[in-house]
Amino acid sequence: MELKLSRPIVFFDLETTGTNITSDRIVEISVIKVFPDGHEETRTRRINPEMPIPSEASAVHHIYDEDVADAPRFREIAKSLADFFTGCDIAGFNSNRFDIPMLDQEFQRVGVKFDFTRPRFVDVQTIFHKKEPRNLTAAYRFYCGGDLEAAHSANADTRATLEVLKAQLDKYDDLPNDIAQLAEFSCQQRNVDLMGRLIYDEQRRPVVNFGKYKGRLAAEVLKSDPGYYSWIMQGDFPQNTKDAFTRIKLSLR
């Protein structure tokens, strides 16, 4: 089933030096932009992470230091990449919890502004886990009837994610072919920040979603424990999370 789109949607996947949003870096990005008329634009780019790629990461995606030695730095492609994403919804596999926060952190690190509040996010993994809990390779086999070749290369994983979503729409009659509704269905919680350290309650009030204050209103925590904000600002949190806490703190004045 082809996607019903009111605006373009970008499917993307990252290969990285690791899974720490704040300290790891992107080594490869693959993007498929699908337009409302059905045509696609595909881009894949290796990126020099400006740090050694750990052997454990290379063992997964098979990208080594020598493979990216002459590749551009993220700062060299960030503006054109942000332009490519502008005006689009965004989809991926586990993208809400990893790829989108990682990409945002990289944009912020090099000073490129991209408003992640405007796109709708469709996380194909969440749809998969709600319907048939497994990983991407199993999802591809289950929905598309074949083996995923070159798993853990960014382009193969990105293409597989697009194909799995189309197959999911074919399989489930109750799954809406509408990006807004798919974004709602694939959302596990209503995040304030991209990492979900803050989430909205039923009254759309930011609530702390981790640590000793989990479940408490963020505004109340910042009022009762002035040192908490400083701890967040000095801690190993993505800039997007710090910005969310800053907005709440400024609203208390």
Side-chain angles (χ1 to χ4, degrees):
M1 182 182 294
E2 294 303 313
L3 302 176
K4 293 180 181 178
L5 304 175
S6 58
R7 60 185 178 187
I9 184 168
V10 169
F11 288 77
F12 83 108
D13 183 71
L14 304 177
E15 303 302 335
T16 64
T17 60
T19 58
N20 188 304
I21 300 297
T22 58
S23 61
D24 281 305
R25 301 290 187 270
I26 297 171
V27 298
E28 186 177 62
I29 181 169
S30 188
V31 182
I32 301 173
K33 182 187 285 191
V34 184
F35 291 83
D37 65 3
H39 86 275
E40 301 174 0
E41 290 183 16
T42 302
R43 298 182 182 181
T44 299
R45 176 64 70 91
R46 293 253 171 109
I47 299 170
N48 186 327
E50 302 183 77
M51 64 178 289
I53 303 174
S55 57
E56 311 86 67
S58 295
V60 174
H61 50 53
H62 306 296
I63 301 172
Y64 298 86
D65 291 335
E66 57 269 27
D67 297 323
V68 294
D70 297 323
R73 277 59 171 170
F74 187 82
R75 68 173 74 94
E76 298 173 51
I77 68 163
K79 181 59 169 62
S80 63
L81 184 62
D83 290 343
F84 193 74
F85 273 69
T86 297
C88 301
D89 294 316
I90 299 175
F93 198 88
N94 194 35
S95 49
N96 285 359
R97 292 191 296 177
F98 180 73
D99 300 83
I100 290 170
M102 174 67 81
L103 183 60
D104 174 71
Q105 186 73 5
E106 289 275 36
F107 278 145
Q108 296 212 40
R109 186 177 292 114
V110 299
V112 170
K113 302 295 184 182
F114 185 84
D115 187 359
F116 279 97
T117 67
R118 299 184 68 84
R120 295 169 294 194
F121 301 146
V122 176
D123 193 325
V124 175
Q125 185 192 62
T126 301
I127 295 173
F128 181 37
H129 285 177
K130 285 186 174 182
K131 295 292 188 179
E132 310 286 346
R134 288 181 180 87
N135 60 25
L136 179 57
T137 301
Y140 191 80
R141 184 180 301 116
F142 182 87
Y143 289 109
C144 303
D147 291 323
L148 176 56
E149 301 295 333
H152 297 300
S153 71
N155 183 255
D157 287 356
T158 304
R159 172 62 61 183
T161 300
L162 170 57
E163 295 303 321
V164 167
L165 179 57
K166 290 180 178 180
Q168 286 173 331
L169 290 169
D170 284 329
K171 183 175 179 61
Y172 304 113
D173 293 336
D174 62 339
L175 197 62
N177 193 348
D178 175 85
I179 295 302
Q181 294 182 64
L182 286 172
E184 179 70 22
F185 186 82
S186 62
C187 179
Q188 293 181 311
Q189 59 190 12
R190 297 185 181 278
N191 292 354
V192 177
D193 64 316
L194 294 173
M195 284 294 292
R197 301 301 190 193
L198 290 163
I199 60 175
Y200 289 111
D201 66 9
E202 293 181 355
Q203 300 176 42
R204 283 195 63 80
R205 298 175 301 179
V207 173
V208 178
N209 194 37
F210 72 102
K212 64 180 180 179
Y213 291 128
K214 183 174 182 179
R216 288 190 56 184
L217 292 175
E220 293 181 356
V221 172
L222 293 175
K223 286 180 181 178
S224 63
D225 184 353
Y228 186 70
Y229 176 75
S230 296
W231 178 74
I232 292 291
M233 292 301 106
Q234 296 168 13
D236 187 24
F237 295 98
Q239 188 60 46
N240 178 264
T241 300
K242 295 179 180 181
D243 290 346
F245 273 99
T246 297
R247 288 194 298 271
I248 297 169
K249 184 174 177 62
L250 291 175
S251 72
L252 300 177
R253 293 180 178 178

